[in-house]
Amino acid sequence: MGTETEYGIIAPALPSANPTLLSSQVVNAYAATLREGLGNLAGTRWDYTDETPLTDARGFRMDRASAHPSQLTDEPPELTAEQIALERGEAAEAAVLMNLVLNNGARLYVDHAHPEYSSPEVTNPLDAVLWDRAGDHVAVAAMERIGTTPGFSPVILYKNNTDNKSVSYGSHENYLVPRSVPFSKLAETLIPFFVSRQVICGAGRVGKGPLNQEPGFQISQRADFFENEIGLETTVRRPIINTRDEPHAVAEKYRRLHVIIGDANLNEVSNYLKLGTTSLVLALVEQGLAPAPTLEDPVQALRTISHDPTLKAAVRLADGRSITGLELQELYCEAVLDAVPADADEQTRDVVDRWRTLLETLRREPMEAARQVDWIAKLKVLEAYRARDGLSWTNPRLALVDLQYADLRPEKGIYQRLARRGDVELLVHPEDVARAAVQPPRDTRAYFRGRCISEYPAEVVGASWDSLIFELAGERRLQRVQTREPLRGTAMLTEELFDVAADAEDFLARLLSDPDRRVAP
Amino acid sequence: MATQDRINTGGSSTEVEEETPEPAPAAPAAQDSTQTQGVDDLLDEIDGVLESNAEEFVRGFVQKGGQ
């Protein structure tokens, strides 16, 4: 599994700055910190060969001509010279990096008008939280670098999902699922789960409606921006279930479930439960044990649940019954409890225990879960302001608290302040986060990717989720190594090879001649 | 049906040492008055870092669409 975060970005002193350009500054600033501190070549070309953003899991392919341009994620973005020149005057750089593959196996790049961090592949939710936080660490390092570079205007990065004017941007999750699980089964189980999951991991939002046309507070940043139950799009007519079939792995064996409906989480417990409970529900689907309540109108239900922080609002099932978001979550949680074997691993038990306990707390008194849930922590601060200063929901200070909750600057961010005061529960240590920003997980192919980039910065000229491209000195041909098995290329399989190889040439020769060590299937 | 098992469909044959997050020690239950004090402190702290001119700052946070 893994996460992707698109950060909100502004340069307060440059209100009309081109966001693509600002985003490229973030990528280039981080590259500069790498060049300085870690001696790593900055800027590995992304290998677009295996990108198929228009293949639909329902068994067809969207015609390229009818796709929204923002969906063509298999084309490298280009900053025009004009854009650069506009911003930087005459001293325009010839080569602006739009993409980096990091030593930890992650990708940092410019996605439309936002900097995006895509985490390396991990095998469990706690690691997913750790390498997601590593992305925030990278974002902070880039911000600080820009802030101390003469001639550059400081930028601020936000881990949120809307500008509260009309625009939303995503934080996505990806889960590896066996291809043998029918997509229709996944969809029918996941729609009610995703509609209700916000009660345990929503990030909270001041304002309602896609145009922020109605005052008030709601549970989810993303809920009002979804218009469809199921579909291929990610930027327009957003669907609760995204059907992009781009496995980045052996397509016959796996599908990559691309989840676009989550809120970006700062709270580590919210993030852990978002990833952990979704994994467990996917396991239920695989085993044919998943509940499948059918909602009469999932898109409307998503909004109804989001718009009621008291958690009392009921939505209608297709059979005419009414059910709350909390009750839907209890349904899934009970099914998982019934299915978890007594000898399940510790982390699985931990996710289940926390999920059950949190649902009990939410049923009793939602505000008691402020240490674990982003939307509740945010609401608690907002309500304290309303009580102290007599503010109505239209007061801009409340909108500012909402925005600044997600501000990644350590001294300015309200979530960060809460964390430092001990008002939120933490799951990972800051020093582990800093390490995860430069080291890959050891138990997936991200290890192989990250180590190749660390060890052979001069020879690795391109990379993607399922490939690395080597260019050896004196050889005219590029050597493409496929990494199509997400669970190969681990430390256990390849660490020794990295340790004994004399150089890139020797490494490739050993890799390709030793069948036991083959990374590719 | 561990999260691990599910993800191990790739046939990784090793047992991974699972780590469970250790919960941070919970704050001791506080009296009402100290709680109010805590909220006041928190708001004072946030007052100190909130951007000045809320209306203008919020209006200036304009993004282009993303995924």
Short mmCIF file of all heavy atoms in Angstrom, two decimals, chain A residues 325-369:
data_model
loop_
_atom_site.label_atom_id
_atom_site.label_comp_id
_atom_site.label_asym_id
_atom_site.label_seq_id
_atom_site.Cartn_x
_atom_site.Cartn_y
_atom_site.Cartn_z
N GLY A 325 -23.91 7.18 9.77
CA GLY A 325 -22.54 6.88 9.36
C GLY A 325 -21.84 6.01 10.39
O GLY A 325 -21.10 5.08 10.06
N LEU A 326 -22.10 6.31 11.64
CA LEU A 326 -21.50 5.55 12.73
C LEU A 326 -21.98 4.09 12.70
O LEU A 326 -21.19 3.15 12.88
CB LEU A 326 -21.92 6.22 14.05
CG LEU A 326 -21.07 6.05 15.29
CD1 LEU A 326 -19.59 6.25 14.99
CD2 LEU A 326 -21.53 7.03 16.36
N GLU A 327 -23.27 3.90 12.45
CA GLU A 327 -23.82 2.53 12.38
C GLU A 327 -23.24 1.76 11.19
O GLU A 327 -23.00 0.55 11.29
CB GLU A 327 -25.35 2.58 12.30
CG GLU A 327 -26.00 2.94 13.64
CD GLU A 327 -27.47 3.35 13.50
OE1 GLU A 327 -27.91 3.64 12.38
OE2 GLU A 327 -28.16 3.39 14.54
N LEU A 328 -23.03 2.46 10.08
CA LEU A 328 -22.40 1.80 8.92
C LEU A 328 -21.00 1.33 9.31
O LEU A 328 -20.61 0.19 9.03
CB LEU A 328 -22.31 2.77 7.74
CG LEU A 328 -23.55 2.90 6.85
CD1 LEU A 328 -23.40 4.11 5.93
CD2 LEU A 328 -23.78 1.64 6.02
N GLN A 329 -20.23 2.19 9.97
CA GLN A 329 -18.89 1.82 10.39
C GLN A 329 -18.93 0.63 11.37
O GLN A 329 -18.10 -0.27 11.30
CB GLN A 329 -18.17 3.00 11.05
CG GLN A 329 -17.61 4.00 10.06
CD GLN A 329 -16.46 3.42 9.23
OE1 GLN A 329 -15.42 3.06 9.76
NE2 GLN A 329 -16.65 3.31 7.93
N GLU A 330 -19.92 0.63 12.26
CA GLU A 330 -20.05 -0.47 13.22
C GLU A 330 -20.31 -1.79 12.50
O GLU A 330 -19.79 -2.84 12.89
CB GLU A 330 -21.15 -0.15 14.24
CG GLU A 330 -20.70 0.88 15.29
CD GLU A 330 -21.84 1.52 16.06
OE1 GLU A 330 -23.01 1.35 15.65
OE2 GLU A 330 -21.56 2.20 17.08
N LEU A 331 -21.10 -1.70 11.43
CA LEU A 331 -21.39 -2.89 10.63
C LEU A 331 -20.10 -3.51 10.07
O LEU A 331 -19.87 -4.72 10.16
CB LEU A 331 -22.31 -2.46 9.48
CG LEU A 331 -23.13 -3.49 8.75
CD1 LEU A 331 -24.20 -4.05 9.67
CD2 LEU A 331 -23.82 -2.83 7.53
N TYR A 332 -19.25 -2.67 9.51
CA TYR A 332 -17.98 -3.16 8.94
C TYR A 332 -17.04 -3.63 10.04
O TYR A 332 -16.36 -4.64 9.91
CB TYR A 332 -17.32 -2.07 8.09
CG TYR A 332 -18.01 -1.82 6.77
CD1 TYR A 332 -18.98 -0.84 6.63
CD2 TYR A 332 -17.69 -2.59 5.65
CE1 TYR A 332 -19.62 -0.62 5.42
CE2 TYR A 332 -18.32 -2.37 4.43
CZ TYR A 332 -19.29 -1.39 4.32
OH TYR A 332 -19.91 -1.18 3.12
N CYS A 333 -17.00 -2.88 11.11
CA CYS A 333 -16.10 -3.23 12.21
C CYS A 333 -16.48 -4.59 12.80
O CYS A 333 -15.61 -5.42 13.07
CB CYS A 333 -16.14 -2.14 13.28
SG CYS A 333 -14.95 -2.38 14.61
N GLU A 334 -17.78 -4.83 12.97
CA GLU A 334 -18.23 -6.12 13.51
C GLU A 334 -17.88 -7.26 12.56
O GLU A 334 -17.46 -8.34 13.00
CB GLU A 334 -19.74 -6.09 13.76
CG GLU A 334 -20.10 -5.42 15.08
CD GLU A 334 -21.55 -4.92 15.11
OE1 GLU A 334 -22.37 -5.49 14.36
OE2 GLU A 334 -21.83 -3.97 15.87
N ALA A 335 -18.05 -7.03 11.27
CA ALA A 335 -17.71 -8.08 10.29
C ALA A 335 -16.22 -8.41 10.38
O ALA A 335 -15.82 -9.58 10.30
CB ALA A 335 -18.08 -7.63 8.88
N VAL A 336 -15.39 -7.39 10.56
CA VAL A 336 -13.95 -7.62 10.69
C VAL A 336 -13.66 -8.38 11.99
O VAL A 336 -12.91 -9.35 12.00
CB VAL A 336 -13.17 -6.29 10.65
CG1 VAL A 336 -11.73 -6.47 11.11
CG2 VAL A 336 -13.19 -5.70 9.23
N LEU A 337 -14.30 -7.95 13.08
CA LEU A 337 -14.11 -8.63 14.36
C LEU A 337 -14.44 -10.12 14.26
O LEU A 337 -13.73 -10.97 14.79
CB LEU A 337 -15.00 -7.99 15.44
CG LEU A 337 -14.43 -6.76 16.13
CD1 LEU A 337 -15.52 -6.05 16.93
CD2 LEU A 337 -13.27 -7.15 17.04
N ASP A 338 -15.52 -10.44 13.56
CA ASP A 338 -15.92 -11.84 13.39
C ASP A 338 -14.90 -12.62 12.57
O ASP A 338 -14.74 -13.82 12.75
CB ASP A 338 -17.28 -11.92 12.68
CG ASP A 338 -18.42 -11.47 13.59
OD1 ASP A 338 -18.18 -11.37 14.81
OD2 ASP A 338 -19.52 -11.19 13.08
N ALA A 339 -14.23 -11.93 11.66
CA ALA A 339 -13.36 -12.64 10.72
C ALA A 339 -11.90 -12.71 11.17
O ALA A 339 -11.15 -13.56 10.69
CB ALA A 339 -13.44 -11.97 9.35
N VAL A 340 -11.50 -11.83 12.07
CA VAL A 340 -10.09 -11.82 12.48
C VAL A 340 -9.78 -13.06 13.29
O VAL A 340 -10.44 -13.33 14.30
CB VAL A 340 -9.76 -10.55 13.31
CG1 VAL A 340 -8.41 -10.69 14.00
CG2 VAL A 340 -9.76 -9.33 12.43
N PRO A 341 -8.81 -13.84 12.86
CA PRO A 341 -8.47 -15.04 13.63
C PRO A 341 -7.80 -14.67 14.95
O PRO A 341 -7.21 -13.59 15.07
CB PRO A 341 -7.49 -15.78 12.70
CG PRO A 341 -6.92 -14.72 11.82
CD PRO A 341 -7.95 -13.65 11.69
N ALA A 342 -7.89 -15.57 15.91
CA ALA A 342 -7.33 -15.30 17.23
C ALA A 342 -5.82 -15.06 17.16
O ALA A 342 -5.27 -14.32 17.98
CB ALA A 342 -7.62 -16.47 18.17
N ASP A 343 -5.17 -15.66 16.18
CA ASP A 343 -3.70 -15.52 16.11
C ASP A 343 -3.27 -14.46 15.09
O ASP A 343 -2.17 -14.51 14.56
CB ASP A 343 -3.07 -16.87 15.76
CG ASP A 343 -3.54 -17.37 14.40
OD1 ASP A 343 -4.49 -16.78 13.84
OD2 ASP A 343 -2.95 -18.35 13.89
N ALA A 344 -4.13 -13.49 14.84
CA ALA A 344 -3.78 -12.42 13.90
C ALA A 344 -2.56 -11.67 14.41
O ALA A 344 -2.31 -11.62 15.62
CB ALA A 344 -4.96 -11.47 13.74
N ASP A 345 -1.83 -11.06 13.48
CA ASP A 345 -0.63 -10.34 13.90
C ASP A 345 -1.00 -9.13 14.76
O ASP A 345 -2.13 -8.65 14.75
CB ASP A 345 0.19 -9.89 12.68
CG ASP A 345 -0.57 -8.88 11.84
OD1 ASP A 345 -0.46 -7.68 12.15
OD2 ASP A 345 -1.27 -9.28 10.90
N GLU A 346 -0.01 -8.65 15.49
CA GLU A 346 -0.23 -7.63 16.51
C GLU A 346 -0.81 -6.34 15.93
O GLU A 346 -1.70 -5.73 16.53
CB GLU A 346 1.12 -7.33 17.16
CG GLU A 346 1.04 -6.88 18.59
CD GLU A 346 2.43 -6.57 19.13
OE1 GLU A 346 3.38 -7.32 18.81
OE2 GLU A 346 2.55 -5.57 19.85
N GLN A 347 -0.31 -5.94 14.76
CA GLN A 347 -0.78 -4.67 14.20
C GLN A 347 -2.24 -4.77 13.76
O GLN A 347 -3.02 -3.82 13.90
CB GLN A 347 0.11 -4.23 13.04
CG GLN A 347 0.05 -2.74 12.83
CD GLN A 347 0.90 -2.25 11.68
OE1 GLN A 347 0.37 -1.63 10.78
NE2 GLN A 347 2.19 -2.51 11.69
N THR A 348 -2.60 -5.91 13.19
CA THR A 348 -4.00 -6.12 12.81
C THR A 348 -4.91 -6.00 14.02
O THR A 348 -5.92 -5.30 14.00
CB THR A 348 -4.17 -7.50 12.14
OG1 THR A 348 -3.40 -7.51 10.93
CG2 THR A 348 -5.62 -7.79 11.82
N ARG A 349 -4.51 -6.68 15.11
CA ARG A 349 -5.31 -6.60 16.34
C ARG A 349 -5.38 -5.17 16.86
O ARG A 349 -6.42 -4.71 17.32
CB ARG A 349 -4.73 -7.53 17.42
CG ARG A 349 -4.98 -9.02 17.13
CD ARG A 349 -4.88 -9.84 18.40
NE ARG A 349 -3.65 -9.56 19.16
CZ ARG A 349 -2.48 -10.18 18.96
NH1 ARG A 349 -2.39 -11.13 18.04
NH2 ARG A 349 -1.42 -9.87 19.67
N ASP A 350 -4.27 -4.47 16.74
CA ASP A 350 -4.22 -3.09 17.21
C ASP A 350 -5.20 -2.20 16.43
O ASP A 350 -5.92 -1.39 17.01
CB ASP A 350 -2.79 -2.56 17.09
CG ASP A 350 -2.64 -1.15 17.67
OD1 ASP A 350 -2.92 -0.98 18.86
OD2 ASP A 350 -2.28 -0.23 16.90
N VAL A 351 -5.21 -2.36 15.10
CA VAL A 351 -6.13 -1.57 14.27
C VAL A 351 -7.58 -1.87 14.66
O VAL A 351 -8.39 -0.96 14.85
CB VAL A 351 -5.91 -1.85 12.76
CG1 VAL A 351 -7.03 -1.24 11.92
CG2 VAL A 351 -4.55 -1.30 12.30
N VAL A 352 -7.89 -3.15 14.80
CA VAL A 352 -9.26 -3.54 15.14
C VAL A 352 -9.67 -2.99 16.51
O VAL A 352 -10.76 -2.43 16.67
CB VAL A 352 -9.41 -5.08 15.11
CG1 VAL A 352 -10.81 -5.48 15.56
CG2 VAL A 352 -9.16 -5.61 13.70
N ASP A 353 -8.77 -3.13 17.50
CA ASP A 353 -9.09 -2.63 18.85
C ASP A 353 -9.32 -1.13 18.84
O ASP A 353 -10.27 -0.63 19.45
CB ASP A 353 -7.94 -2.94 19.82
CG ASP A 353 -7.86 -4.43 20.15
OD1 ASP A 353 -8.85 -5.14 19.83
OD2 ASP A 353 -6.84 -4.87 20.70
N ARG A 354 -8.43 -0.41 18.16
CA ARG A 354 -8.57 1.04 18.13
C ARG A 354 -9.84 1.47 17.40
O ARG A 354 -10.51 2.42 17.81
CB ARG A 354 -7.36 1.67 17.41
CG ARG A 354 -6.10 1.69 18.24
CD ARG A 354 -4.95 2.14 17.36
NE ARG A 354 -3.70 2.28 18.10
CZ ARG A 354 -3.35 3.38 18.75
NH1 ARG A 354 -4.15 4.43 18.77
NH2 ARG A 354 -2.19 3.44 19.38
N TRP A 355 -10.15 0.76 16.31
CA TRP A 355 -11.35 1.07 15.53
C TRP A 355 -12.60 0.91 16.41
O TRP A 355 -13.43 1.80 16.50
CB TRP A 355 -11.39 0.13 14.31
CG TRP A 355 -12.41 0.44 13.26
CD1 TRP A 355 -13.16 1.58 13.12
CD2 TRP A 355 -12.77 -0.41 12.16
NE1 TRP A 355 -13.96 1.48 11.99
CE2 TRP A 355 -13.73 0.28 11.40
CE3 TRP A 355 -12.36 -1.68 11.74
CZ2 TRP A 355 -14.30 -0.27 10.23
CZ3 TRP A 355 -12.91 -2.22 10.60
CH2 TRP A 355 -13.87 -1.53 9.85
N ARG A 356 -12.67 -0.25 17.08
CA ARG A 356 -13.83 -0.53 17.91
C ARG A 356 -13.94 0.49 19.06
O ARG A 356 -15.01 1.03 19.33
CB ARG A 356 -13.72 -1.95 18.48
CG ARG A 356 -14.98 -2.41 19.19
CD ARG A 356 -14.83 -3.79 19.75
NE ARG A 356 -13.59 -3.89 20.55
CZ ARG A 356 -13.07 -5.04 20.98
NH1 ARG A 356 -13.66 -6.17 20.67
NH2 ARG A 356 -11.97 -5.04 21.70
N THR A 357 -12.83 0.75 19.71
CA THR A 357 -12.83 1.70 20.84
C THR A 357 -13.24 3.09 20.38
O THR A 357 -14.02 3.78 21.05
CB THR A 357 -11.42 1.76 21.48
OG1 THR A 357 -11.01 0.43 21.78
CG2 THR A 357 -11.42 2.59 22.74
N LEU A 358 -12.72 3.50 19.22
CA LEU A 358 -13.04 4.83 18.71
C LEU A 358 -14.53 4.95 18.39
O LEU A 358 -15.17 5.96 18.71
CB LEU A 358 -12.19 5.14 17.47
CG LEU A 358 -12.46 6.49 16.78
CD1 LEU A 358 -12.28 7.66 17.74
CD2 LEU A 358 -11.54 6.66 15.57
N LEU A 359 -15.09 3.90 17.78
CA LEU A 359 -16.53 3.95 17.46
C LEU A 359 -17.36 4.05 18.74
O LEU A 359 -18.36 4.77 18.78
CB LEU A 359 -16.93 2.72 16.63
CG LEU A 359 -16.35 2.67 15.21
CD1 LEU A 359 -16.69 1.34 14.53
CD2 LEU A 359 -16.86 3.83 14.36
N GLU A 360 -16.92 3.35 19.79
CA GLU A 360 -17.63 3.45 21.09
C GLU A 360 -17.55 4.87 21.62
O GLU A 360 -18.54 5.42 22.11
CB GLU A 360 -17.03 2.47 22.11
CG GLU A 360 -17.44 1.01 21.84
CD GLU A 360 -16.57 0.00 22.63
OE1 GLU A 360 -15.70 0.44 23.42
OE2 GLU A 360 -16.77 -1.22 22.43
N THR A 361 -16.37 5.46 21.53
CA THR A 361 -16.20 6.85 22.00
C THR A 361 -17.08 7.80 21.20
O THR A 361 -17.74 8.68 21.76
CB THR A 361 -14.72 7.28 21.88
OG1 THR A 361 -13.91 6.32 22.56
CG2 THR A 361 -14.49 8.66 22.48
N LEU A 362 -17.09 7.63 19.89
CA LEU A 362 -17.89 8.53 19.04
C LEU A 362 -19.37 8.40 19.34
O LEU A 362 -20.13 9.37 19.26
CB LEU A 362 -17.64 8.22 17.56
CG LEU A 362 -16.24 8.54 17.03
CD1 LEU A 362 -16.07 8.07 15.58
CD2 LEU A 362 -15.93 10.04 17.12
N ARG A 363 -19.79 7.20 19.70
CA ARG A 363 -21.20 6.98 20.03
C ARG A 363 -21.54 7.68 21.35
O ARG A 363 -22.63 8.24 21.51
CB ARG A 363 -21.47 5.48 20.14
CG ARG A 363 -22.93 5.11 20.29
CD ARG A 363 -23.13 3.63 20.11
NE ARG A 363 -23.36 3.27 18.72
CZ ARG A 363 -24.52 3.47 18.09
NH1 ARG A 363 -25.53 4.05 18.71
NH2 ARG A 363 -24.67 3.10 16.83
N ARG A 364 -20.58 7.67 22.27
CA ARG A 364 -20.81 8.25 23.60
C ARG A 364 -20.67 9.77 23.56
O ARG A 364 -21.58 10.49 23.93
CB ARG A 364 -19.82 7.65 24.59
CG ARG A 364 -20.11 7.94 26.06
CD ARG A 364 -19.14 7.21 26.98
NE ARG A 364 -17.75 7.60 26.73
CZ ARG A 364 -16.82 6.78 26.25
NH1 ARG A 364 -17.09 5.52 26.00
NH2 ARG A 364 -15.59 7.23 26.03
N GLU A 365 -19.51 10.25 23.10
CA GLU A 365 -19.25 11.69 23.12
C GLU A 365 -18.12 12.00 22.14
O GLU A 365 -16.95 11.86 22.48
CB GLU A 365 -18.86 12.13 24.55
CG GLU A 365 -18.43 13.57 24.68
CD GLU A 365 -19.36 14.55 23.94
OE1 GLU A 365 -20.48 14.77 24.42
OE2 GLU A 365 -18.96 15.06 22.87
N PRO A 366 -18.47 12.40 20.90
CA PRO A 366 -17.45 12.59 19.86
C PRO A 366 -16.28 13.48 20.30
O PRO A 366 -15.13 13.19 19.96
CB PRO A 366 -18.24 13.25 18.72
CG PRO A 366 -19.64 12.79 18.90
CD PRO A 366 -19.83 12.64 20.38
N MET A 367 -16.55 14.53 21.08
CA MET A 367 -15.47 15.45 21.43
C MET A 367 -14.36 14.78 22.26
O MET A 367 -13.27 15.31 22.36
CB MET A 367 -16.03 16.68 22.18
CG MET A 367 -16.93 17.56 21.33
SD MET A 367 -16.38 17.85 19.62
CE MET A 367 -15.55 19.40 19.79
N GLU A 368 -14.67 13.62 22.83
CA GLU A 368 -13.64 12.91 23.61
C GLU A 368 -12.56 12.28 22.72
O GLU A 368 -11.55 11.79 23.21
CB GLU A 368 -14.28 11.81 24.48
CG GLU A 368 -15.00 12.37 25.70
CD GLU A 368 -15.68 11.26 26.51
OE1 GLU A 368 -15.31 10.07 26.33
OE2 GLU A 368 -16.58 11.59 27.30
N ALA A 369 -12.80 12.28 21.41
CA ALA A 369 -11.82 11.67 20.50
C ALA A 369 -10.90 12.69 19.83
O ALA A 369 -10.30 12.42 18.80
CB ALA A 369 -12.55 10.84 19.44
#
